[in-house]
Coordinates of all heavy atoms in Angstrom, one line a residue:
P1 N 18.4 -76.5 6.7 CA 18.3 -77.3 8.0 C 17.5 -76.6 9.0 O 17.4 -75.4 9.1 CB 19.8 -77.4 8.4 CG 20.6 -76.8 7.3 CD 19.7 -76.2 6.4
I2 N 17.0 -77.4 9.9 CA 16.1 -76.9 11.0 C 16.9 -76.0 12.0 O 16.4 -75.2 12.7 CB 15.4 -78.1 11.8 CG1 14.3 -77.6 12.6 CG2 16.4 -78.9 12.6 CD1 13.1 -77.2 11.9
D3 N 18.2 -76.2 12.0 CA 19.1 -75.3 12.9 C 19.0 -73.9 12.6 O 19.2 -73.0 13.4 CB 20.5 -75.8 12.9 CG 20.7 -77.2 13.4 OD1 19.8 -77.7 14.1 OD2 21.8 -77.8 13.1
D4 N 18.6 -73.5 11.4 CA 18.6 -72.1 10.9 C 17.2 -71.5 11.1 O 17.0 -70.4 10.7 CB 18.9 -72.1 9.4 CG 20.4 -72.5 9.2 OD1 21.2 -72.3 10.0 OD2 20.6 -73.1 8.1
L5 N 16.3 -72.2 11.8 CA 14.9 -71.8 12.0 C 14.7 -71.3 13.4 O 15.1 -72.0 14.4 CB 13.9 -72.9 11.7 CG 12.4 -72.6 11.8 CD1 12.0 -71.6 10.7 CD2 11.6 -73.9 11.7
E6 N 14.1 -70.1 13.6 CA 13.8 -69.6 14.9 C 12.3 -69.3 15.0 O 11.8 -68.7 14.0 CB 14.6 -68.3 15.2 CG 16.1 -68.6 15.3 CD 16.8 -67.3 15.6 OE1 16.3 -66.4 16.2 OE2 18.0 -67.3 15.3
V7 N 11.6 -69.6 16.1 CA 10.2 -69.3 16.3 C 10.1 -68.6 17.6 O 10.7 -69.0 18.6 CB 9.4 -70.5 16.2 CG1 7.9 -70.2 16.5 CG2 9.5 -71.3 14.9
A8 N 9.3 -67.5 17.6 CA 9.1 -66.8 18.9 C 7.6 -66.5 19.0 O 7.0 -66.2 18.0 CB 9.9 -65.5 18.9
V9 N 7.0 -66.6 20.2 CA 5.6 -66.2 20.4 C 5.6 -65.1 21.5 O 6.5 -65.1 22.3 CB 4.8 -67.4 20.8 CG1 4.7 -68.4 19.6 CG2 5.3 -68.1 22.0
C10 N 4.6 -64.3 21.5 CA 4.4 -63.3 22.5 C 3.0 -63.1 22.9 O 2.1 -63.4 22.1 CB 5.0 -62.0 22.0 SG 4.1 -61.2 20.7
Y11 N 2.8 -62.7 24.2 CA 1.5 -62.4 24.7 C 1.7 -61.2 25.6 O 2.5 -61.3 26.5 CB 0.8 -63.5 25.4 CG -0.6 -63.1 26.0 CD1 -1.7 -63.0 25.1 CD2 -0.7 -62.9 27.3 CE1 -2.9 -62.6 25.7 CE2 -1.9 -62.5 27.8 CZ -3.0 -62.3 27.0 OH -4.2 -61.9 27.6
A12 N 0.9 -60.2 25.5 CA 0.9 -59.1 26.5 C -0.5 -58.6 26.8 O -1.4 -58.7 26.0 CB 1.7 -57.9 25.8
K13 N -0.6 -58.1 28.0 CA -1.9 -57.6 28.5 C -1.7 -56.3 29.3 O -0.8 -56.2 30.0 CB -2.6 -58.7 29.3 CG -4.0 -58.3 29.8 CD -4.7 -59.5 30.4 CE -6.0 -59.2 31.0 NZ -7.0 -58.6 30.0
T14 N -2.6 -55.3 29.0 CA -2.5 -54.1 29.8 C -3.9 -53.9 30.4 O -4.9 -54.3 30.0 CB -2.2 -52.9 28.9 OG1 -3.2 -52.8 27.9 CG2 -0.8 -53.0 28.2
D15 N -3.8 -53.2 31.6 CA -5.0 -52.9 32.3 C -4.8 -51.6 33.1 O -3.9 -51.5 33.9 CB -5.4 -54.0 33.3 CG -6.7 -53.8 33.9 OD1 -7.6 -53.2 33.3 OD2 -6.9 -54.2 35.1
D16 N -5.6 -50.6 32.8 CA -5.5 -49.3 33.5 C -4.1 -48.7 33.4 O -3.5 -48.4 34.5 CB -6.0 -49.5 34.9 CG -6.4 -48.2 35.6 OD1 -6.6 -47.2 34.8 OD2 -6.5 -48.2 36.8
I17 N -3.5 -48.6 32.2 CA -2.1 -48.3 32.1 C -1.7 -46.9 32.6 O -0.6 -46.7 33.1 CB -1.7 -48.4 30.6 CG1 -0.2 -48.3 30.4 CG2 -2.4 -47.3 29.8 CD1 0.2 -48.7 29.0
F18 N -2.7 -45.9 32.7 CA -2.4 -44.6 33.2 C -3.0 -44.3 34.5 O -3.2 -43.2 34.9 CB -2.8 -43.5 32.2 CG -2.0 -43.6 30.9 CD1 -2.5 -43.9 29.7 CD2 -0.6 -43.2 31.0 CE1 -1.8 -44.0 28.6 CE2 0.1 -43.3 29.8 CZ -0.4 -43.6 28.6
G19 N -3.4 -45.4 35.3 CA -3.9 -45.2 36.6 C -5.3 -44.5 36.6 O -5.5 -43.7 37.5
G20 N -6.1 -44.7 35.7 CA -7.4 -44.2 35.7 C -7.6 -43.0 34.7 O -8.7 -42.6 34.4
I21 N -6.5 -42.5 34.2 CA -6.6 -41.4 33.2 C -7.1 -42.0 31.9 O -6.6 -43.1 31.4 CB -5.3 -40.7 33.0 CG1 -4.8 -40.0 34.3 CG2 -5.4 -39.7 31.9 CD1 -3.4 -39.5 34.3
D22 N -8.1 -41.4 31.2 CA -8.6 -42.0 30.0 C -7.5 -41.9 28.9 O -7.1 -40.8 28.5 CB -9.8 -41.2 29.5 CG -10.5 -41.8 28.3 OD1 -10.2 -42.9 27.9 OD2 -11.3 -41.1 27.7
D23 N -7.1 -43.0 28.4 CA -6.1 -43.1 27.4 C -6.7 -43.2 26.0 O -5.9 -43.4 25.0 CB -5.1 -44.2 27.6 CG -5.8 -45.6 27.6 OD1 -7.0 -45.7 27.2 OD2 -5.1 -46.6 27.9
A24 N -8.0 -43.0 25.9 CA -8.7 -43.0 24.6 C -8.4 -44.2 23.7 O -8.4 -44.2 22.5 CB -8.3 -41.7 23.8
G25 N -8.1 -45.4 24.4 CA -7.9 -46.6 23.6 C -6.6 -46.7 22.8 O -6.5 -47.4 21.9
A26 N -5.6 -45.9 23.3 CA -4.4 -45.8 22.5 C -3.6 -47.1 22.6 O -2.8 -47.4 21.7 CB -3.5 -44.7 23.1
F27 N -3.8 -47.9 23.7 CA -3.0 -49.1 23.9 C -3.9 -50.3 23.9 O -5.0 -50.3 24.4 CB -2.2 -49.0 25.2 CG -1.2 -48.0 25.3 CD1 -1.5 -46.7 25.8 CD2 0.1 -48.2 24.8 CE1 -0.6 -45.7 25.8 CE2 1.0 -47.2 24.8 CZ 0.7 -45.9 25.3
P28 N -3.4 -51.4 23.3 CA -4.3 -52.6 23.2 C -4.5 -53.2 24.6 O -3.6 -53.2 25.4 CB -3.5 -53.6 22.3 CG -2.1 -53.1 22.3 CD -2.2 -51.6 22.6
E29 N -5.7 -53.8 24.8 CA -6.0 -54.5 26.1 C -5.2 -55.8 26.1 O -4.7 -56.2 27.1 CB -7.5 -54.7 26.2 CG -7.9 -55.3 27.5 CD -9.4 -55.4 27.6 OE1 -10.0 -55.8 26.6 OE2 -9.9 -55.2 28.7
S30 N -5.1 -56.5 24.9 CA -4.3 -57.7 24.8 C -3.6 -57.7 23.5 O -4.1 -57.1 22.5 CB -5.1 -58.9 25.1 OG -6.1 -59.1 24.1
Q31 N -2.5 -58.4 23.4 CA -1.7 -58.4 22.2 C -1.0 -59.8 22.1 O -0.5 -60.3 23.1 CB -0.7 -57.3 22.2 CG 0.2 -57.3 21.0 CD 1.2 -56.1 21.1 OE1 2.1 -56.2 21.9 NE2 1.0 -55.1 20.3
Y32 N -1.1 -60.4 21.0 CA -0.4 -61.7 20.8 C 0.1 -61.8 19.4 O -0.3 -61.2 18.5 CB -1.3 -62.9 21.2 CG -2.6 -63.0 20.5 CD1 -2.7 -63.7 19.3 CD2 -3.7 -62.3 21.0 CE1 -3.9 -63.7 18.6 CE2 -4.9 -62.4 20.3 CZ -5.0 -63.1 19.1 OH -6.2 -63.2 18.4
G33 N 1.2 -62.7 19.3 CA 1.7 -62.8 17.9 C 2.8 -63.9 17.9 O 3.1 -64.6 18.9
I34 N 3.3 -64.1 16.7 CA 4.3 -65.1 16.4 C 5.2 -64.6 15.3 O 4.8 -63.9 14.4 CB 3.6 -66.5 16.0 CG1 4.7 -67.6 15.8 CG2 2.8 -66.3 14.7 CD1 4.1 -69.0 15.7
T35 N 6.5 -65.0 15.5 CA 7.5 -64.6 14.5 C 8.2 -65.9 14.1 O 8.6 -66.7 14.9 CB 8.5 -63.6 15.0 OG1 7.8 -62.4 15.4 CG2 9.5 -63.3 14.0
V36 N 8.4 -66.1 12.8 CA 9.2 -67.2 12.3 C 10.4 -66.6 11.5 O 10.1 -65.8 10.6 CB 8.4 -68.1 11.4 CG1 9.2 -69.3 10.8 CG2 7.2 -68.7 12.2
A37 N 11.6 -66.9 11.8 CA 12.8 -66.4 11.1 C 13.6 -67.6 10.6 O 13.7 -68.6 11.3 CB 13.6 -65.5 12.0
Y38 N 14.2 -67.4 9.4 CA 15.0 -68.5 8.8 C 16.3 -67.9 8.3 O 16.2 -66.9 7.5 CB 14.3 -69.2 7.7 CG 15.0 -70.4 7.2 CD1 15.2 -71.6 7.9 CD2 15.6 -70.3 5.9 CE1 15.9 -72.6 7.4 CE2 16.3 -71.4 5.4 CZ 16.5 -72.5 6.1 OH 17.2 -73.6 5.6
G39 N 17.4 -68.4 8.7 CA 18.7 -68.0 8.1 C 19.0 -68.6 6.8 O 19.3 -69.8 6.6
L40 N 18.8 -67.8 5.7 CA 19.0 -68.3 4.4 C 20.4 -68.6 4.0 O 20.8 -69.6 3.5 CB 18.5 -67.2 3.3 CG 17.0 -67.0 3.3 CD1 16.7 -65.9 2.3 CD2 16.3 -68.3 2.8
F41 N 21.3 -67.6 4.3 CA 22.7 -67.8 4.1 C 23.5 -67.2 5.3 O 22.8 -66.6 6.2 CB 23.1 -67.0 2.8 CG 22.3 -67.2 1.6 CD1 21.4 -66.2 1.2 CD2 22.3 -68.4 1.0 CE1 20.6 -66.4 0.1 CE2 21.5 -68.6 -0.1 CZ 20.6 -67.7 -0.6
D42 N 24.8 -67.2 5.3 CA 25.5 -66.5 6.3 C 25.2 -65.1 6.3 O 25.2 -64.4 5.2 CB 27.0 -66.7 6.1 CG 27.5 -68.1 6.4 OD1 26.8 -68.8 7.1 OD2 28.6 -68.5 6.0
N43 N 24.8 -64.5 7.4 CA 24.5 -63.1 7.6 C 23.2 -62.6 6.8 O 23.0 -61.4 6.6 CB 25.7 -62.2 7.1 CG 27.0 -62.5 7.9 OD1 26.9 -62.8 9.1 ND2 28.1 -62.5 7.2
T44 N 22.4 -63.6 6.4 CA 21.1 -63.2 5.8 C 20.0 -64.0 6.4 O 20.0 -65.2 6.4 CB 21.2 -63.5 4.2 OG1 22.4 -62.8 3.7 CG2 20.0 -63.1 3.5
T45 N 19.0 -63.2 6.8 CA 17.8 -63.9 7.5 C 16.5 -63.3 6.9 O 16.4 -62.1 6.6 CB 17.8 -63.6 9.0 OG1 19.0 -64.0 9.5 CG2 16.6 -64.2 9.7
V46 N 15.5 -64.2 6.7 CA 14.2 -63.7 6.3 C 13.3 -64.1 7.4 O 13.4 -65.1 8.1 CB 13.8 -64.4 4.9 CG1 13.7 -65.9 5.1 CG2 12.5 -63.8 4.4
A47 N 12.3 -63.1 7.7 CA 11.4 -63.4 8.8 C 10.0 -62.9 8.4 O 9.8 -62.0 7.6 CB 11.9 -62.6 10.0
L48 N 9.0 -63.6 9.1 CA 7.6 -63.2 8.9 C 7.0 -63.1 10.3 O 7.2 -64.0 11.1 CB 6.9 -64.3 8.1 CG 5.4 -64.0 7.8 CD1 5.3 -62.8 6.9 CD2 4.8 -65.2 7.0
E49 N 6.3 -62.0 10.6 CA 5.7 -61.7 11.9 C 4.2 -61.5 11.7 O 3.8 -60.8 10.8 CB 6.4 -60.5 12.5 CG 5.8 -60.1 13.8 CD 6.5 -58.9 14.4 OE1 6.3 -57.8 13.8 OE2 7.2 -59.0 15.3
Y50 N 3.4 -62.0 12.7 CA 2.0 -61.8 12.8 C 1.7 -61.3 14.2 O 2.1 -61.9 15.2 CB 1.2 -63.1 12.5 CG -0.2 -63.0 12.8 CD1 -1.1 -62.5 11.8 CD2 -0.8 -63.4 14.0 CE1 -2.5 -62.4 12.1 CE2 -2.1 -63.2 14.3 CZ -3.0 -62.8 13.3 OH -4.3 -62.6 13.6
L51 N 1.0 -60.1 14.3 CA 0.7 -59.5 15.6 C -0.7 -59.1 15.6 O -1.2 -58.4 14.6 CB 1.6 -58.3 15.8 CG 1.6 -57.7 17.2 CD1 2.1 -58.7 18.2 CD2 2.5 -56.4 17.2
K52 N -1.5 -59.5 16.6 CA -2.9 -59.2 16.7 C -3.1 -58.4 18.0 O -2.7 -58.7 19.1 CB -3.7 -60.5 16.8 CG -5.1 -60.4 17.1 CD -5.9 -60.0 15.8 CE -7.3 -59.9 16.2 NZ -8.3 -60.3 15.4
N53 N -3.8 -57.2 17.9 CA -4.2 -56.4 19.0 C -5.7 -56.4 19.2 O -6.4 -56.2 18.3 CB -3.7 -54.9 18.8 CG -2.2 -54.8 18.6 OD1 -1.5 -55.5 19.3 ND2 -1.8 -53.9 17.8
D54 N -6.1 -56.5 20.5 CA -7.5 -56.4 20.8 C -7.7 -55.2 21.8 O -6.9 -55.1 22.8 CB -8.0 -57.7 21.5 CG -8.0 -58.8 20.5 OD1 -8.4 -58.6 19.4 OD2 -7.7 -60.0 21.0
Y55 N -8.6 -54.3 21.5 CA -8.8 -53.2 22.3 C -10.1 -53.3 23.2 O -11.0 -54.0 22.9 CB -8.9 -51.9 21.5 CG -7.6 -51.6 20.7 CD1 -7.3 -52.2 19.5 CD2 -6.7 -50.8 21.3 CE1 -6.1 -52.0 18.9 CE2 -5.5 -50.6 20.6 CZ -5.2 -51.2 19.4 OH -4.0 -51.0 18.8
E56 N -10.2 -52.5 24.3 CA -11.3 -52.6 25.2 C -12.6 -52.2 24.5 O -13.6 -52.8 24.9 CB -11.0 -51.6 26.4 CG -12.0 -51.7 27.5 CD -11.6 -50.9 28.7 OE1 -10.4 -50.9 29.1 OE2 -12.4 -50.2 29.2
N57 N -12.6 -51.4 23.5 CA -13.8 -51.0 22.8 C -14.2 -51.9 21.7 O -14.9 -51.6 20.8 CB -13.7 -49.5 22.3 CG -12.6 -49.4 21.3 OD1 -11.9 -50.3 21.0 ND2 -12.4 -48.2 20.8
D58 N -13.6 -53.1 21.7 CA -13.8 -54.2 20.7 C -13.2 -53.9 19.3 O -13.5 -54.6 18.4 CB -15.3 -54.5 20.5 CG -15.9 -55.1 21.8 OD1 -15.2 -55.8 22.5 OD2 -17.1 -54.9 22.0
D59 N -12.4 -52.9 19.2 CA -11.6 -52.7 18.0 C -10.5 -53.7 17.9 O -10.1 -54.3 19.0 CB -11.0 -51.3 18.0 CG -11.9 -50.2 17.6 OD1 -13.1 -50.5 17.2 OD2 -11.6 -49.0 17.7
E60 N -10.0 -54.0 16.7 CA -9.0 -55.0 16.5 C -8.0 -54.4 15.5 O -8.4 -53.6 14.7 CB -9.5 -56.3 16.0 CG -10.4 -57.0 17.0 CD -10.9 -58.3 16.4 OE1 -10.7 -58.6 15.1 OE2 -11.5 -59.1 17.1
A61 N -6.7 -54.8 15.6 CA -5.7 -54.5 14.6 C -4.9 -55.7 14.4 O -4.5 -56.4 15.3 CB -4.9 -53.3 15.1
T62 N -4.6 -55.9 13.1 CA -3.7 -57.0 12.8 C -2.5 -56.5 11.9 O -2.7 -55.7 11.0 CB -4.5 -58.1 11.9 OG1 -5.6 -58.5 12.7 CG2 -3.6 -59.3 11.6
V63 N -1.3 -56.9 12.3 CA -0.1 -56.5 11.6 C 0.6 -57.7 11.1 O 0.9 -58.6 11.9 CB 0.8 -55.6 12.5 CG1 2.0 -55.2 11.8 CG2 0.0 -54.4 13.0
V64 N 1.0 -57.7 9.8 CA 1.8 -58.7 9.3 C 3.0 -58.0 8.7 O 2.9 -57.1 7.9 CB 1.1 -59.5 8.2 CG1 2.0 -60.6 7.6 CG2 -0.2 -60.2 8.8
T65 N 4.2 -58.5 9.0 CA 5.5 -57.9 8.6 C 6.4 -59.0 8.0 O 6.5 -60.1 8.6 CB 6.2 -57.3 9.8 OG1 5.3 -56.3 10.4 CG2 7.4 -56.5 9.3
A66 N 7.0 -58.7 6.9 CA 8.0 -59.5 6.3 C 9.3 -58.7 6.3 O 9.3 -57.5 6.0 CB 7.6 -59.9 4.8
Q67 N 10.4 -59.4 6.6 CA 11.7 -58.7 6.7 C 12.8 -59.6 6.1 O 12.8 -60.8 6.3 CB 12.0 -58.5 8.2 CG 13.3 -57.9 8.4 CD 13.6 -57.7 9.9 OE1 12.8 -58.1 10.8 NE2 14.7 -57.1 10.2
L68 N 13.6 -58.9 5.3 CA 14.8 -59.5 4.8 C 16.0 -58.7 5.5 O 16.1 -57.5 5.2 CB 14.9 -59.4 3.3 CG 16.3 -59.9 2.7 CD1 16.5 -61.4 2.9 CD2 16.3 -59.6 1.2
A69 N 16.8 -59.4 6.3 CA 17.9 -58.7 7.0 C 19.2 -59.2 6.5 O 19.4 -60.5 6.4 CB 17.8 -59.0 8.5
I70 N 20.1 -58.3 6.1 CA 21.5 -58.6 5.7 C 22.4 -58.0 6.6 O 22.4 -56.7 6.7 CB 21.7 -58.2 4.2 CG1 20.7 -58.9 3.3 CG2 23.1 -58.5 3.8 CD1 20.7 -58.4 1.9
E71 N 23.2 -58.7 7.3 CA 24.2 -58.2 8.2 C 25.6 -58.0 7.5 O 26.0 -58.9 6.8 CB 24.4 -59.2 9.4 CG 25.3 -58.8 10.5 CD 25.4 -59.8 11.6 OE1 24.4 -60.6 11.7 OE2 26.4 -59.8 12.3
F72 N 26.1 -56.8 7.8 CA 27.4 -56.6 7.2 C 28.3 -55.8 8.1 O 27.9 -55.3 9.1 CB 27.3 -55.9 5.8 CG 26.6 -54.6 5.9 CD1 27.2 -53.4 6.1 CD2 25.2 -54.6 5.7 CE1 26.5 -52.2 6.1 CE2 24.5 -53.4 5.7 CZ 25.1 -52.2 5.9

């Protein structure tokens, strides 16, 4: 059923995170993503997450995560 489905989206932006100190591109300039989770059974959830990072020097990083969570 659709009641067992959860969707979340995120967007984050950083600018001059250390007040002018060169951070060597350690943090993304912008980040966005989506997560979809579905409750398979009582206390059992499967989730898929997509996260995209864009850096000031035009580097990019993409992360895809799959998760099976069992609560006990």
Side-chain angles (χ1 to χ4, degrees):
I2 196 76
D3 294 344
D4 297 327
L5 183 68
E6 295 181 24
V7 177
V9 295
C10 68
Y11 176 78
K13 183 168 177 60
T14 58
D15 186 31
D16 200 17
I17 193 168
F18 292 113
I21 298 172
D22 184 14
D23 62 8
F27 296 93
E29 186 176 38
S30 65
Q31 181 180 69
Y32 55 92
I34 185 168
T35 300
V36 178
Y38 184 74
L40 289 175
F41 311 108
D42 287 344
N43 304 322
T44 304
T45 303
V46 63
L48 184 63
E49 175 183 72
Y50 171 84
L51 189 62
K52 174 80 181 219
N53 297 326
D54 294 320
Y55 295 87
E56 189 173 312
N57 63 359
D58 293 331
D59 283 350
E60 296 179 348
T62 302
V63 178
V64 178
T65 306
Q67 178 181 1
L68 174 64
I70 301 171
E71 183 180 334
F72 53 94

